[in-house]
């Protein structure tokens, strides 16, 4: 196996762990949001995308590694990312969640850019194509969160000023 291929496989495993982490984080967020239906809905849509991404990455790995043991290897490596959800249970949970969500999407965007360049180098055009498609979904999610940030903050501040218990989440 060429050096670039070895790295590609290693980074595909990291990406798989990242997506598993993403799914957990997004599910936790979506389940807690009560008064921001638009955000909840967009997150739920991204959970579906995330599940599909995870499966597609599994497919890329499987073309190198036929054994199913790769899933075990990957778990835990990206677990520190879970700390991004640290804002949960605070009074401004929705705002902290948007920051964490946007930050996580940026991590994903960078990771897929690395994978695309590596797949190119390794001559794996199928993996490159898959990662390019996933990259577009991550960019779309990041852009959505970015666009909706001002109105989310405004809504939060208004409700917070009214001492409404709908502000938090
Ligand atoms: Mg993703
Ligand atoms: Fe994502």
């Amino acid at each position: 196996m060429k050096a670039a291929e070895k790295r590609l496989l290693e980074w595909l495993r990291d990406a798989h762990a990242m997506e598993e982490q993403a799914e957990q984080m997004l599910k936790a967020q979506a389940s807690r949001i009560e008064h921001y239906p638009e955000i909840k809905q967009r997150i739920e849509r991204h959970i579906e995308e995330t599940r599909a991404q995870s499966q597609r990455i599994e497919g890329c790995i499987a073309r190198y590694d036929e054994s199913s043991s790769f899933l075990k290897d990957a778990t835990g490596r990206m677990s520190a990312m879970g700390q991004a959800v640290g804002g949960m249970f605070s009074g401004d949970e929705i705002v902290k969640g948007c920051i964490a969500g946007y930050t996580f999407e940026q991590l994903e965007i960078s990771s897929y850019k690395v994978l695309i360049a590596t797949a190119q180098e390794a001559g794996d055009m199928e993996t490159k194509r898959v990662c390019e498609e996933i990259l577009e979904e991550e960019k779309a999610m990041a852009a959505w969160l970015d666009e909706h940030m001002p109105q989310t903050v405004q809504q939060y501040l208004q409700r917070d000023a009214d001492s409404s218990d709908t502000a938090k989440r």
Side-chain angles (χ1 to χ4, degrees):
M1 197 180 235
K2 290 187 291 181
E5 273 183 355
K6 264 176 86 175
R7 286 296 170 203
L8 180 62
L9 188 52
E10 189 183 315
W11 290 338
L12 281 169
R13 288 192 178 109
D14 287 344
H16 185 267
M18 176 176 74
E19 294 303 347
E20 296 292 299
Q21 192 71 41
E23 188 184 339
Q24 285 174 32
M25 187 182 86
L26 293 167
K27 270 188 188 162
Q29 282 185 332
S31 72
R32 290 183 55 81
I33 296 172
E34 282 176 10
H35 306 289
Y36 297 84
E38 229 189 325
I39 300 174
K40 191 184 177 94
Q41 202 177 35
R42 185 62 181 90
I43 290 176
E44 279 167 349
R45 201 178 114 198
H46 199 53
I47 290 172
E48 295 310 310
E49 290 173 339
T50 299
R51 284 201 189 107
Q53 290 169 0
S54 199
Q55 283 170 9
R56 298 183 74 187
I57 294 299
E58 280 177 34
C60 292
I61 295 168
R63 284 186 292 111
Y64 291 94
D65 188 355
E66 293 298 324
S67 70
S68 57
S69 63
F70 71 85
L71 289 174
K72 286 175 200 156
D73 303 339
T75 45
R77 290 194 64 174
M78 303 289 281
S79 61
M81 297 306 160
Q83 289 165 6
V85 207
M88 218 173 250
F89 312 115
S90 58
D92 57 354
E93 180 175 325
I94 191 74
V95 175
K96 290 288 194 288
C98 285
I99 294 172
Y102 182 79
T103 303
F104 200 95
E105 295 307 323
Q106 296 305 319
L107 170 82
E108 294 186 289
I109 287 167
S110 295
S111 300
Y112 285 109
K113 284 181 178 173
V114 167
L115 279 171
I116 289 163
T118 308
Q120 169 75 45
E121 196 62 27
D124 183 345
M125 293 305 124
E126 174 61 13
T127 294
K128 189 187 174 202
R129 193 184 59 79
V130 165
C131 291
E132 281 168 347
E133 286 174 11
I134 296 176
L135 176 64
E136 289 312 306
E137 292 176 350
E138 310 300 19
K139 280 183 177 173
M141 183 61 183
W144 193 95
L145 289 170
D146 192 43
E147 278 162 27
H148 290 75
M149 193 72 85
Q151 78 178 49
T152 303
V153 174
Q154 195 181 30
Q155 210 165 33
Y156 170 79
L157 291 172
Q158 219 154 51
R159 292 170 177 179
D160 192 41
D162 298 341
S163 305
S164 168
D165 59 3
T166 63
K168 181 182 174 179
R169 59 191 176 108

